[in-house]
Amino acid sequence: MKFEIAMEPMASPRPRFSSKGGFVKAYMPKEYMAWKAQLLFKWKLLKLKQEVSGKPLFVKLSFYLDPPIAVSKIKKNRAALEAETMPVVKKPDIDNLQKSVLDALNKHAWPDDNQISDIYAKKRYSLRPRIEIEVREVE
């Protein structure tokens, strides 16, 4: 299955900690939890079936991020932005982008993300921010 989610990619942040009542509790920031919920909501709108074969899965993730103003205003960058060929070599880290998508779709697009044996990811600047996801069985 191959699908696209029209939203700005977000990297998985580090957990936060609070110590109320003498207990230390870990939690994720509210903005991140809201982003994950929105991604899952958009995935459910696509009405795709979960990949439940039990076989190893290959996942391809393409992250298209909104370019900074300094990049988008330069005329020579325009063609690369339109062709979506300009790599992102700054934050967010690609592994944290992967984690956010895999965590959000776990138990929805696949039964458990431990089923993923192969993964490919890229991040590019684009005038149309989105996440493209492809899931297929490993041959």
Side-chain angles (χ1 to χ4, degrees):
M1 94 179 109
K2 188 174 185 177
F3 56 98
E4 179 180 304
I5 305 286
M7 63 188 288
E8 181 75 27
M10 180 182 216
S12 177
R14 296 190 188 279
R16 307 288 188 251
F17 297 93
S18 73
S19 57
K20 292 184 180 177
F23 296 100
V24 176
K25 181 182 176 187
Y27 66 95
M28 295 303 272
K30 289 179 185 176
E31 302 82 22
Y32 175 67
M33 298 307 290
W35 182 91
K36 278 179 42 173
Q38 182 182 18
L39 180 87
L40 182 57
F41 175 76
K42 289 184 177 202
W43 182 84
K44 287 180 177 181
L45 286 177
L46 296 172
K47 298 184 188 231
L48 298 169
K49 293 185 178 179
Q50 184 183 73
E51 185 64 58
V52 293
S53 67
K55 295 182 180 178
L57 297 177
F58 167 82
V59 175
K60 179 180 178 183
L61 300 169
S62 300
F63 300 99
Y64 295 94
L65 289 84
D66 205 18
I69 294 171
V71 171
S72 62
K73 286 200 172 193
I74 299 173
K75 280 189 178 183
K76 69 177 184 175
N77 291 341
R78 197 71 182 169
L81 289 174
E82 289 173 0
E84 299 177 327
T85 57
M86 184 180 292
V88 178
V89 292
K90 297 183 177 202
K91 291 197 178 270
D93 294 351
I94 199 163
D95 59 323
N96 292 328
L97 290 169
Q98 289 175 351
K99 182 165 179 42
S100 63
V101 171
L102 297 180
D103 286 351
L105 296 180
N106 197 35
K107 302 199 183 342
H108 298 284
W110 43 75
D112 195 322
D113 57 6
N114 67 9
Q115 199 175 339
I116 299 168
S117 65
D118 297 55
I119 193 165
Y120 170 82
K122 68 178 182 179
K123 59 180 181 170
R124 301 286 186 266
Y125 285 127
S126 173
L127 300 173
R128 192 171 64 91
R130 66 190 183 284
I131 304 163
E132 292 179 355
I133 304 166
E134 180 182 340
V135 181
R136 67 175 194 262
E137 290 180 356
V138 173
E139 300 287 325

